[in-house]
Amino acid sequence: MAILPHQKCSLRSLEYVPTWHRPCHSTRVICSASTSTKPEPRSSSPNQLIIEPRLLASPPLFNDPTLQSTSAHRAWVATGCTTVLISLAKSMVAAASSHVWLEPILAGYVGYILADLGSGVYHWGIDNYGDASTPIFGSQIDAFQGHHKWPWTITRRQFANNLHSLAKAITFTVLPLDIFCNDASITGFVSVCAGCIMFSQQFHAWAHGTKSKLPPLVVALQDAGVLVSRSQHAVHHRPPYNNNYCIVSGVWNEFLDKQKVFEVLEMVLFFKLGVRPRSWSEPNSEWAEEAETPSQVAAR
């Protein structure tokens, strides 16, 4: 009877490792053997332990640079806010000149309502499709996957770090309208809608905040339904992870979930393109939420 070496050489990840923080390295040693009555052929490789390296995901540290704002982040947020304020100012000036205020106000309200819908559609898309290598949206897809693993990390992101990607998109979208459009209703709609979309990630962060640590005004707006509430958004982070996607006010969540709008869209994309959404195979270890440890809470 001969003892034959059972070779195993592979590199695999125990679980999803987001690219926005540093992984910890670990090594697993495997000893394995099989028995056989056949004579062992001569081999130049002696029996040996098999080393299988793997990557273990770990949450970002409190002072992780990926959670901190840079000068570029602050510049983009400042630019985005400026374009939105210019649009709002033009709407107010045009309304004052024409003495017509109702239409711009209604247009702004419609912008607020549609911003919530837009945030839900976008959130659904990056939660379920693509990965870190996806053009344009890859970094946000990757960040949102990590967010499902450690949702509390969004409360540690600095303001500009959290908003700069949306602020950049808002700048390029709203600036041409600021230059060429003077209609009070259009600029009123654009300013409110764009502003809510740009700040939706901050509303999202507040929805993960502890009530005692949030500004009283924010808590009041959440309780009044003006901003998405903590209790409503908490449902999104529980299995089956396929509801309550809207993160501005959350006013669309009940309708979209009851009418199964996103489920219908997922079926259409699957039968037309053969693409499966992540929510069909979740939950798994990638989205299984890890609670914040006492040492991580103390590090805040």
Side-chain angles (χ1 to χ4, degrees), residues 16-26 54-59 64:
Y16 176 80
V17 183
T19 59
W20 47 269
H21 64 84
R22 298 181 298 275
C24 298
H25 292 272
S26 175
R54 59 180 178 171
L55 294 176
L56 298 178
S58 61
D64 195 310

Side-chain angles (χ1 to χ4, degrees), residues 15-196:
E15 54 190 26
Y16 176 80
V17 183
T19 59
W20 47 269
H21 64 84
R22 298 181 298 275
C24 298
H25 292 272
S26 175
T27 301
R28 181 168 65 178
V29 179
I30 300 174
C31 298
S32 59
S34 62
T35 60
S36 173
T37 57
K38 295 181 180 180
E40 177 186 358
R42 295 187 62 85
S43 174
S44 59
S45 300
N47 293 349
Q48 58 184 358
L49 295 178
I50 302 165
I51 308 298
E52 183 179 311
R54 59 180 178 171
L55 294 176
L56 298 178
S58 61
L61 303 174
F62 175 68
N63 58 347
D64 195 310
T66 63
L67 303 180
Q68 298 177 4
S69 299
T70 66
S71 298
H73 295 164
R74 297 186 185 95
W76 277 116
V77 172
T79 304
C81 289
T82 300
T83 58
V84 168
L85 289 174
I86 289 174
S87 184
L88 179 62
K90 292 186 71 173
S91 176
M92 294 176 67
V93 169
S97 299
S98 62
H99 303 288
V100 177
W101 290 95
L102 181 60
E103 290 182 4
I105 291 173
L106 290 176
Y109 179 72
V110 172
Y112 162 72
I113 297 297
L114 291 183
D116 187 58
L117 176 61
S119 73
V121 173
Y122 185 75
H123 190 178
W124 163 76
I126 62 177
D127 262 11
N128 286 285
Y129 300 99
D131 53 33
S133 63
T134 301
I136 302 176
F137 304 104
S139 61
Q140 293 190 50
I141 294 171
D142 190 48
F144 265 72
Q145 296 313 300
H147 170 66
H148 275 272
K149 186 71 173 177
W150 302 290
W152 40 267
T153 58
I154 194 172
T155 63
R156 296 185 177 181
R157 284 191 180 274
Q158 293 184 351
F159 179 76
N161 179 290
N162 202 21
L163 268 61
H164 75 278
S165 295
L166 290 173
K168 186 184 298 186
I170 291 300
T171 298
F172 288 116
T173 304
V174 176
L175 186 59
L177 294 172
D178 287 346
I179 296 173
F180 299 108
C181 181
N182 295 306
D183 184 86
S185 296
I186 294 176
T187 51
F189 169 85
V190 168
S191 61
V192 176
C193 185
C196 287

